[in-house]
Amino acid sequence: MQIRDLPYSDPGDPDVRSGPRFLLWLGRNQIRGQLKSMSWGLLHQCSIAGLPLTVGFAVQAVVDRSGGRLALAGGLIAVLGVLIAVGDTMLHRTAVTNWITAAARVQQLLARKTAELGSALTRRVAAGEVVAVSTGDVEKIGWFVEALSRFAAAAAALVIICVGLVLYLPSLGVLVALAMPLLALAVLPLLPRATRRADFQREKAGKATELASDTVAGLRVLRGIGGEELFLGRYRRASQEVRKAAVRSAQMWSLISAIQVLLPGVLLISLVTYGAALARDGKIDVGQLVTVYSAATLLLFPLRHFEEIAMAYSFSRPSAQRAVRVLSLSRVARPSTVDASPTGDLYDPATGLMAPEGLFTAVVCGDPDEAGRLADRLGGHAQPAVSQDGAAEEEPADREVPSVLLGGVPLDELELDAARTAVLVQDKDPVLLSGTLRELLDVPSSGRVTAEEALSAAQCGDVLDALAQASVDSDGDPMNTRITERGRSLSGGQRQRLALARSLVTDPEALVLDEPTSAVDSHTEARVAAGIKALREDRTTVAFASSPLLLDLADRVALVHRGTVVAVGTHRELLRSEPRYRAVVTRETDDEIALPAPPGEPDQDEAINAIDTIEEVEERA
């Protein structure tokens, strides 16, 4: 795999049972790149190891006053120099390619998982953790994959050189061969503690990232309530904890590095002392001593890769574990048995909610969190169960949750693309991606609804005027005006209406809107509700809301109480007949519901009749 071939056509199906298994899966999927890097690394290491032999040969030639052998030694040194340069260059090239391609594979896997889960992702994993995985953790995972091939080459070179030294000069070669495993494994007892400190540092860094992400997202609100210094103080404390954890982790790695300098130094001193004694007694030649000493000195270079692979694994293992935590999330789906996108009524067996085909159905929930969970269910997003104390918990494996049906077909049995085309869910806090307004509205769609029609239905006229004046580079065309990240330059109501226009452009078979007008004033809300109903006259639309202005325009309204539909009718029918519905819509308390209307004030029926009379007068006028 070359960098120019990225992205992968298929990044594969990762092993998400654990972080180490995920790293192993990455290595197996890049076996060709790993073998290439290892081959070039062996060439580089063995060429370096060949230098002491030729240098010793040259020294001995000088001692023996042999010009021919000296010239031969010079030629061999030149050839080895070329091989070292080529091997080092290609090793770096292939190793970095492994790094980049591994990071790209992980990023593609994360992007695919994000697209699969949609808004459900940040409900199951903290947003800061997702950011940490897709940025810093991806780099650390790539670092381990890149270091793995160089470590394998270094380990193979150590074995080859030690065997060569034993065969070349057993008296000193055996000493070096016995010392190398001790030098390589001397720091092994310290690695668990170093790993724990690295894990602790990663954990603190992740929490600090989450806190920073939350602070930036709520900066406008914090400024409004004067809470900037409070959150900045929290971030300062969190960052200091990260710094302290990083210092403690660095201290351990410094100790490991010191040991890997001290022990080789002891080996070299012992080697020179013992070798000098053998040379003085005439048991070995001076050239042989120089050769073995030079080889032992150069062996310290491959030994550094043992420290590097230990560091890379210590940092990449928690990163891989966090990546696995995201990649192991799944949309609960059965094997697809349906070829085409179905049409018909949208029905949720778990709550009894029915949204008839082609009608505008409003859903009223007393609990906003319950409304959000139900909206996600209608879109085919699996949600965790909720315990009695309100805490989310994972569904037991043997607990069967009925799938939402569209035209009698379970959404879980549809391919993901078909399910997304059939049912689109817009949550109450939609995100606007940076780019021009034209790019924002350039989304997969049926082609039946134009961008102009969607913007008009969402009452975005004032937003278009503001965008036209916001940029001098757009030639007065608001469609060419760039929108900042998450639409932060726009008000909450403007962002909400642009997101609604984007949803309307897609024109899905069933559109589910969670509080689509919560951030606009009442006059705009009434026009937006009328625009939605007119534009989607023959399409299934579900809106979770509690505003009387929107509910009065719905074809039918369903009241969901404690996870079950308890009443269905029109807005005015439910106001008259259902106290629980009236309590949610009019914000009445239980005591107010029980009390009769005060003398001189109309009751609920009289108020509805008065509204009807006022509307009739306005229509005649």
Side-chain angles (χ1 to χ4, degrees):
M1 185 70 182
Q2 299 296 324
I3 295 178
R4 62 175 176 268
D5 298 326
L6 295 175
Y8 291 96
S9 57
D10 179 13
D13 187 16
D15 187 344
V16 294
R17 289 176 291 177
S18 66
R21 288 179 181 272
F22 178 67
L23 293 174
L24 179 62
W25 176 84
L26 278 177
R28 287 202 312 265
N29 276 269
Q30 295 187 247
I31 190 65
R32 292 182 61 185
Q34 295 288 345
L35 291 176
K36 284 183 181 179
S37 183
M38 181 178 175
S39 300
W40 290 113
L42 278 174
L43 176 64
H44 178 239
Q45 299 282 355
C46 292
S47 298
I48 292 177
L51 286 176
L53 183 62
T54 54
V55 169
F57 186 69
V59 170
Q60 193 62 43
V62 171
V63 172
D64 296 340
R65 299 182 179 275
S66 174
R69 284 187 294 165
L70 182 61
L72 177 61
L76 291 175
I77 291 175
V79 172
L80 290 176
V82 173
L83 294 177
I84 290 172
V86 173
D88 190 24
T89 301
M90 296 306 299
L91 171 62
H92 180 75
R93 178 188 178 93
T94 53
V96 171
T97 299
N98 289 336
W99 184 336
I100 295 176
T101 51
R105 186 186 295 273
V106 178
Q107 286 178 329
Q108 279 189 252
L109 291 171
L110 291 170
R112 186 175 68 181
K113 182 60 65 175
T114 302
E116 175 186 341
L117 296 177
S119 60
L121 175 62
T122 52
R123 290 188 178 94
R124 301 169 70 177
V125 180
E129 185 169 353
V130 177
V131 173
V133 171
S134 59
T135 53
D137 287 337
V138 167
E139 291 296 319
K140 291 178 176 61
I141 293 172
W143 174 30
F144 174 76
V145 174
E146 177 261 347
L148 187 60
S149 57
R150 290 191 286 109
F151 163 74
L158 280 176
V159 173
I160 293 173
I161 294 171
C162 287
V163 171
L165 287 178
V166 171
L167 296 177
Y168 175 73
L169 189 62
S171 55
L172 293 180
V174 171
L175 174 63
V176 175
L178 293 177
M180 283 301 143
L182 297 177
L183 297 181
L185 301 177
V187 298
L188 194 60
L190 299 177
L191 289 181
R193 182 177 297 180
T195 301
R196 287 194 297 270
R197 292 190 180 186
D199 291 347
F200 184 72
Q201 178 194 352
R202 293 289 93 201
E203 179 183 352
K204 290 294 184 180
K207 291 181 179 179
T209 302
E210 292 179 19
L211 181 60
S213 177
D214 292 341
T215 303
V216 171
L219 193 57
R220 180 178 296 182
V221 176
L222 291 176
R223 287 175 176 172
I225 63 176
E228 289 177 272
E229 287 301 321
L230 174 62
F231 274 79
L232 287 176
R234 291 180 181 177
Y235 182 74
R236 290 190 189 99
R237 290 192 294 272
S239 64
Q240 287 301 311
E241 291 178 359
V242 174
R243 181 189 63 80
K244 293 177 181 178
V247 169
R248 294 186 72 247
S249 179
Q251 288 174 343
M252 184 56 63
W253 290 112
S254 298
L255 177 60
I256 292 175
S257 298
I259 292 175
Q260 289 198 327
V261 171
L262 174 64
L263 294 183
V266 173
L267 170 64
L268 292 178
I269 293 174
S270 303
L271 185 64
V272 170
T273 302
Y274 181 58
L278 293 178
R280 183 188 57 197
D281 296 339
K283 296 180 179 179
I284 62 173
D285 296 331
V286 175
Q288 290 177 319
L289 175 61
V290 171
T291 298
V292 175
Y293 174 80
S294 301
T297 304
L298 292 178
L299 282 176
L300 303 184
F301 177 72
L303 278 175
R304 295 176 184 174
H305 291 288
F306 284 77
E307 178 189 357
E308 182 189 15
I309 195 64
M311 291 184 65
Y313 179 75
S314 298
F315 283 100
S316 65
R317 189 180 61 82
S319 297
Q321 193 61 46
R322 287 200 287 197
V324 163
R325 194 177 301 125
V326 176
L327 295 175
S328 60
L329 300 176
S330 62
R331 170 180 178 259
V332 178
R334 301 175 181 88
S336 177
T337 58
V338 181
D339 296 331
S341 298
T343 60
D345 300 338
L346 186 64
Y347 176 65
D348 179 25
T351 59
L353 176 62
M354 168 69 76
E357 181 181 9
L359 295 184
F360 184 11
T361 302
V363 182
V364 175
C365 295
D367 182 3
D369 293 333
E370 183 181 16
R373 291 192 295 269
L374 180 52
D376 284 332
R377 272 188 52 77
L378 292 178
H381 296 284
Q383 287 294 305
V386 179
S387 61
Q388 295 297 326
D389 59 359
E393 57 184 10
E394 293 296 331
E395 291 282 0
D398 58 351
R399 182 174 173 183
E400 184 70 18
V401 179
S403 172
V404 172
L405 308 177
L406 179 62
V409 178
L411 290 182
D412 286 350
E413 296 183 4
L414 293 176
E415 292 286 353
L416 183 60
D417 292 342
R420 293 291 180 268
T421 303
V423 183
L424 174 66
V425 178
Q426 176 181 304
D427 60 20
K428 64 180 63 179
D429 186 23
V431 175
L432 300 183
L433 302 179
S434 59
T436 65
L437 180 57
R438 193 182 309 279
E439 293 170 342
L440 176 69
L441 300 179
D442 184 18
V443 293
S445 64
S446 67
R448 294 179 36 172
V449 179
T450 64
E452 291 73 16
E453 291 173 338
L455 290 168
S456 176
Q459 301 298 314
C460 295
D462 61 318
V463 185
L464 297 178
D465 294 338
L467 291 176
Q469 299 174 4
S471 176
V472 296
D473 299 330
S474 61
D475 299 327
D477 185 359
M479 300 297 290
N480 295 329
T481 303
R482 293 193 63 81
I483 298 174
T484 57
E485 180 189 5
R486 300 179 67 91
R488 299 190 189 280
S489 59
L490 303 173
S491 67
Q494 290 174 330
R495 290 197 301 270
Q496 191 176 58
R497 281 177 285 161
L498 285 180
L500 175 60
R502 178 179 59 189
S503 299
L504 293 174
V505 165
T506 61
D507 189 37
E509 181 66 29
L511 176 62
V512 181
L513 305 171
D514 189 3
E515 295 288 354
T517 58
S518 60
V520 299
D521 58 79
S522 58
H523 298 289
T524 305
E525 182 178 29
R527 294 196 298 270
V528 170
I532 295 173
K533 184 175 181 180
L535 189 63
R536 293 189 55 82
E537 184 176 2
D538 58 343
R539 309 292 257 178
T540 305
T541 306
V542 181
F544 288 82
S546 59
S547 168
L549 292 172
L550 189 148
L551 297 173
D552 196 41
L553 287 173
D555 297 316
R556 65 200 304 271
V557 181
L559 173 63
V560 177
H561 182 66
R562 294 183 178 178
T564 305
V565 175
V566 295
V568 178
T570 65
H571 168 60
R572 303 188 185 206
E573 290 171 352
L574 294 178
L575 276 179
R576 291 189 180 97
S577 61
E578 182 53 63
R580 289 171 295 187
Y581 178 83
R582 188 163 58 247
V584 175
V585 174
T586 62
R587 274 64 169 181
E588 292 180 353
T589 64
D590 293 338
D591 294 335
E592 291 173 335
I593 295 173
L595 292 175
E601 292 188 10
D603 60 14
Q604 190 67 42
D605 291 340
E606 292 174 348
I608 294 173
N609 293 332
I611 293 174
D612 292 339
T613 304
I614 293 173
E615 291 180 349
E616 292 175 359
V617 172
E618 290 179 348
E619 289 177 359
R620 288 196 297 269

